Amino acid sequence: MSSSVASFDLASPIGPWVVVARNDDRVAQEKVAALASGGVVRRLDSRNMADTAGLFTEFADKLEFPSYFGHNWYALVDCLDDLHGSWHGRRPVVIVVEEADVLVGRDFLPLFVSVLCEAAERANLSLDADGLPRSRPPFPLHFVFFLARSEVREVAKELGARDDMLIRESAGRLLVWSQSE
């Protein structure tokens, strides 16, 4: 496995877009902590995300989505790709899902991760909804899921049901990208 696949950089606009790690993964925790000084780290509480309505509300509240946010998957991609609020400033953004074990086994987990990959790909590569380049510069957007009780392999098995994501297991964590067509 190449070093580019085995590692991840949360401060740059390169994949993986989603990282799934255990709470005791020091490297992942340190990378999130290091970004806090020059970027933005927002933490979501998965206990509020046990269903899709709660998931959309948690994102809207913690990321200060505009009032017209539609509380659906398409609207989530759009709002993540075009982050609003004075807190952003085109700095690297990492959204951390704490205690992501709550999401393991939920029927929407694979779709949720796929949607996050789509939003991150659009933001990181500065692409519009049709996959065409935008005039604005890219900005780093990544998602980190921390697990306390579940195993990374459980999540890999669930995500593997979709064919629109590239999933690699490396150093005890999952690295997830959008699957190129």
Side-chain angles (χ1 to χ4, degrees):
M1 188 172 293
S2 73
S3 62
S4 63
V5 172
S7 64
F8 60 98
D9 182 358
L10 300 175
S12 71
I14 59 172
W17 310 136
V18 177
V19 176
V20 180
R22 303 261 316 147
N23 280 349
D24 59 359
D25 184 330
R26 282 186 356 162
V27 171
Q29 292 284 1
E30 288 170 0
K31 287 186 182 228
V32 169
L35 188 75
S37 64
V40 176
V41 176
R42 290 290 168 117
R43 296 182 181 274
L44 305 181
D45 185 345
S46 69
R47 293 174 297 180
N48 298 330
M49 300 165 55
D51 58 29
T52 55
L55 182 148
F56 296 134
T57 299
E58 182 73 358
F59 268 85
D61 290 349
K62 297 284 174 65
L63 275 68
E64 301 174 25
F65 285 175
S67 60
Y68 57 80
F69 170 58
H71 292 263
N72 62 62
W73 298 116
Y74 297 111
L76 183 62
V77 169
D78 288 342
C79 283
L80 288 170
D81 172 45
D82 190 22
L83 288 171
H84 300 273
S86 59
W87 59 270
H88 181 239
R90 296 282 177 232
R91 295 177 291 162
V93 175
V94 173
I95 299 168
V96 176
V97 179
E98 303 282 7
E99 304 292 329
D101 306 89
V102 170
L103 303 174
V104 177
R106 304 284 179 186
D107 62 346
F108 62 82
L109 177 62
L111 175 59
F112 174 41
V113 174
S114 175
V115 164
L116 296 181
C117 285
E118 180 182 349
E121 183 172 65
R122 284 174 45 181
N124 282 288
L125 302 179
S126 192
L127 301 173
D128 67 15
D130 295 321
L132 300 173
R134 291 187 173 160
S135 59
R136 75 170 195 213
F139 70 91
L141 172 63
H142 300 277
F143 302 88
V144 179
F145 287 59
F146 282 115
L147 303 169
R149 297 168 307 282
S150 302
E151 294 299 323
V152 169
R153 289 181 190 256
E154 290 177 65
V155 177
K157 185 176 179 181
E158 288 186 42
L159 299 183
R162 293 189 63 95
D163 62 2
D164 60 346
M165 294 183 287
L166 178 62
I167 304 161
R168 295 287 183 256
E169 189 170 346
S170 176
R173 65 185 71 93
L174 291 184
L175 309 176
V176 187
W177 297 260
S178 296
Q179 179 78 334
S180 300
E181 293 183 25

